Amino acid sequence: MDFHHLQYWQQRAQALKIENRLFINGRYQAAVAGETFAVENPAAQRELVQMARGGQADIDLAVKAAREVFERGDWSQATPSQRKTTLLKLAALMEEHHEPLALLETLDTGKPIRHSLRDDVPGAIRCLRWYAEAIDKVYGEIAPTGNHALALIQREPIGVVGAIVPWNFPLLLACWKLGPALAAGNSVVLKPSEKSPLTAVYLAALAQQAGLPDGVLNIIPGYGHDAGKALALHPDVDALTFTGSTQVAKQLMTYAGESNMKRVWLEAGGKSANIIFADCPDLDKAAQGAAAGIFYNQGQVCIAGTRLLVEESIQQEFLQALRKHAAAFEPGNPLDPQTIMGTLIDHGHCEKVVGYIEQGLEQGAALFLDGRDHSQGSQQSYLGPTILTQVDNAMSVAREEIFGPVLAVTPFNGEQQALELANDSEYGLGAAIWTRDLSRAHRMARQLKAGTVFVNNYNDGDMTVPFGGYKQSGNGRDKSLHALDKFTELKTTWISLE
Ligand code: NAD
């Protein structure tokens, strides 16, 4: 039996030994307070493991270890090419451990194993490799001062970085932080989401095996209000890098202000508009892109195309094509390699998403496709693709981040109205335009207030392009060389030549 079969993954899941301790200063260990919390598999509604629950005392230990190794220079003073070698080894080890990593991700989050194998794990590996390969090619600068002086501008690692990540792409988003932060020479304390800590904890052993010095990477699973808050308030953390909700992002800014004014980099929520013009080059392809743009990862994607703005003259035709492509997202067992839609992260979140559907209907939206049909019992986390039409941009389903497979459809007439609707949002993570008119595409792209604008695709991209948001979608950028800005300080050395 091979990995194309459900039974293969079921057997592997049964045989899996899950590491359930914190990783501090190169050693797996229980939490100082001895506490644990349950990590659950949302598809089986079953506890996977009792995980050590990090708190203030564990964060203190981790930050101390991170600081000591940073000041000692084992990693921070290593040459860029030495750091590159170690990170490339880590990427190679992740490749060797591709299957257990993908399996842990699927068991922990309910996302389809085919996506963990195809997207999450390879994406995380690519990211580490990319920064490893980049770091010994980044040069400093000499300022154009004139001949009386020589002014060098260099990037230095910032120190101890606290990384706090969510549950929707646990390993991938952790690596979006770890790649540039470690490549630049920092020490990191990573707090994964309490809902999905398994891959981060597994990664620690691989990093050690790759030769990352003790203390450079510490992993502290735990709750946000506890371990997360302790990390964010810690006076010896130099920078925080966060991916998660806008609400928590705002709290982190407060914590930074209340403590040591640490730099705070925030990748937060989204409510991205996907705009379909009547002159879109291929309606069917646009419908397929729109369906994947909202239903992939059960709609739990920060940049999901949650608001579909469709030109009124093609609305009916487009909705029919959309229904066809939505049908591909039939919820099923995440361990089955045929499944392309798994479960939401947990039952509580599923209820919240269903609540949004009900609110939308109460506020006057119409139900075009009802994913609630997929309910399988009172504690289930399955929800199918849901499409609400006749959505007014003032409704909560158009304004708030639902973070589930719910698409809000609003018709428009003409470019100006599309632009106004798209920009009428607190968020500004992504936007897409489908048109064959090149001038219109450029015009719109310039005026859309979003970190990324897709033209005739939804959510394409790679490591070379920055990712992040305008407005309350955050600040700073993940991916690309620009991410190094978050994890380095610029040092000027002014040398008088007179
Ligand atoms: P969340 O904000 O609830 O939690 C994110 C992380 O913050 C978790 O590790 C959590 O434990 C921690 N946390 C919670 N409260 C905290 C506190 N008071 N102090 C410190 N840490 C705290 O988000 P979530 O529900 O895990 O993830 C979904 C959210 O993530 C969505 O809003 C989504 O848009 C966002 N997201 C954004 C991006 C992006 O790149 N912009 C990518 C993926 C997800």
Side-chain angles (χ1 to χ4, degrees):
M1 198 184 332
D2 67 13
F3 62 88
H4 294 101
H5 295 93
L6 170 62
Q7 291 82 350
Y8 173 86
W9 293 104
Q10 285 173 327
Q11 280 169 13
R12 288 215 62 169
Q14 268 165 15
L16 197 63
K17 163 127 183 35
I18 299 177
E19 177 55 63
N20 64 346
R21 292 169 295 171
L22 319 175
F23 189 80
I24 302 176
N25 207 11
R27 210 167 59 81
Y28 281 111
Q29 50 194 278
V32 171
E35 290 184 23
T36 60
F37 65 100
V39 176
E40 288 176 3
N41 171 356
Q45 293 152 35
R46 190 173 63 76
E47 180 178 307
L48 287 164
V49 79
Q50 279 288 326
M51 174 64 70
R53 174 181 168 177
Q56 174 82 55
D58 307 287
I59 292 290
D60 286 346
L61 286 177
V63 173
K64 185 165 179 286
R67 170 62 61 195
E68 280 174 5
V69 70
F70 184 82
E71 299 304 336
R72 216 165 44 233
D74 306 11
W75 183 252
S76 55
Q77 300 296 320
T79 64
S81 82
Q82 286 166 335
R83 294 200 295 262
K84 164 180 166 171
T85 305
T86 305
L87 291 175
L88 287 178
K89 270 191 210 154
L90 173 57
L93 282 167
M94 287 171 74
E95 224 150 44
E96 267 176 49
H97 291 250
H98 188 149
E99 285 197 7
L101 283 169
L103 185 56
L104 284 172
E105 205 72 312
T106 285
L107 292 172
D108 211 357
T109 62
K111 67 170 66 202
I113 188 74
R114 88 191 260 142
H115 293 161
S116 301
L117 285 167
R118 187 195 68 188
D119 304 334
D120 294 70
V121 180
I125 296 169
R126 262 199 309 278
C127 174
L128 290 184
R129 258 201 192 118
W130 198 88
Y131 285 103
E133 290 289 0
I135 202 64
D136 64 352
K137 296 162 194 77
V138 178
Y139 289 76
E141 296 164 23
I142 294 177
T145 53
N147 285 339
H148 63 293
L150 172 64
L152 310 176
I153 304 168
Q154 287 163 291
R155 282 182 185 275
E156 295 186 340
I158 195 164
V160 177
V161 171
I164 300 178
V165 293
W167 45 259
N168 59 336
F169 294 95
L171 182 66
L172 181 70
L173 295 179
C175 287
W176 282 14
K177 314 298 188 194
L178 295 177
L182 293 176
N186 299 283
S187 302
V188 179
V189 178
L190 170 70
K191 195 208 79 66
S193 166
E194 57 275 24
K195 296 183 181 184
S196 60
L198 301 183
T199 44
V201 171
Y202 191 100
L203 185 70
L206 301 184
Q208 190 170 44
Q209 209 182 323
L212 203 68
D214 292 351
V216 173
L217 175 62
N218 306 276
I219 312 282
I220 310 290
Y223 290 98
H225 59 80
D226 185 5
K229 185 174 174 183
L231 185 59
L233 277 169
H234 204 291
D236 207 22
V237 169
D238 299 294
L240 272 183
T241 175
F242 169 80
T243 298
S245 62
T246 293
Q247 189 193 357
V248 173
K250 288 180 181 178
Q251 277 177 302
L252 298 190
M253 296 177 102
T254 310
Y255 296 154
E258 285 171 358
S259 54
N260 61 339
M261 220 171 99
K262 53 180 70 68
R263 282 94 183 99
V264 184
W265 302 109
L266 306 165
E267 301 293 336
K271 196 73 199 171
S272 304
N274 188 9
I275 308 168
I276 322 287
F277 283 98
D279 72 349
C280 132
D282 181 340
L283 217 59
D284 193 61
K285 186 171 166 231
Q288 189 175 20
I294 176 64
F295 302 130
Y296 175 74
N297 209 42
Q298 299 70 245
Q300 303 165 134
V301 179
C302 51
I303 201 166
T306 53
R307 291 187 294 145
L308 182 80
L309 308 182
V310 54
E311 198 143 33
E312 196 154 24
S313 59
I314 55 159
Q315 183 177 209
Q316 289 318 316
E317 190 187 348
F318 192 79
L319 283 173
Q320 292 314 323
L322 193 58
R323 189 199 291 279
K324 184 184 78 183
H325 289 293
F329 291 84
E330 171 75 21
N333 185 343
L335 282 182
D336 185 340
Q338 307 311 315
T339 296
I340 68 164
M341 189 166 207
T343 72
L344 300 199
I345 187 69
D346 58 28
H347 178 63
H349 183 58
C350 194
E351 277 191 328
K352 187 175 150 209
V353 175
V354 168
Y356 268 112
I357 299 173
E358 285 160 3
Q359 236 179 68
L361 297 176
E362 279 160 23
Q363 290 172 11
L367 199 54
F368 181 73
L369 190 63
D370 190 356
R372 294 171 301 175
D373 299 345
H374 292 275
S375 299
Q376 297 166 8
S378 61
Q379 287 306 307
Q380 62 94 29
S381 309
Y382 285 98
L383 183 67
T386 299
I387 300 176
L388 297 172
T389 53
Q390 297 171 33
V391 172
D392 183 283
N393 216 39
M395 292 178 188
S396 51
V397 289
R399 304 215 73 78
E400 293 170 31
E401 190 178 38
I402 301 175
F403 225 55
V406 180
L407 181 64
V409 183
T410 304
F412 70 86
N413 285 300
E415 204 173 303
Q416 193 50 37
Q417 195 187 10
L419 198 60
E420 282 168 14
L421 283 167
N423 282 341
D424 177 21
S425 172
E426 288 175 359
Y427 297 106
L429 194 52
I433 315 153
W434 299 75
T435 177
R436 75 170 76 233
D437 180 339
L438 194 61
S439 306
R440 165 188 280 164
H442 281 292
R443 243 185 346 257
M444 295 279 294
R446 284 184 181 190
Q447 294 181 82
L448 283 163
K449 293 187 174 24
T452 304
V453 177
F454 306 103
V455 178
N456 294 333
N457 72 87
Y458 200 90
N459 205 8
D460 283 358
D462 64 20
M463 281 308 301
T464 60
V465 291
F467 184 93
Y470 282 33
K471 300 193 265 183
Q472 294 190 41
S473 288
N475 63 2
R477 294 294 181 266
D478 278 335
K479 300 182 18 189
S480 82
L481 289 181
H482 294 282
L484 291 174
D485 296 345
K486 304 202 284 195
F487 302 112
T488 50
E489 288 283 17
L490 285 182
K491 163 77 59 77
T492 299
T493 309
W494 183 281
I495 304 163
S496 171
L497 300 183
E498 284 169 345

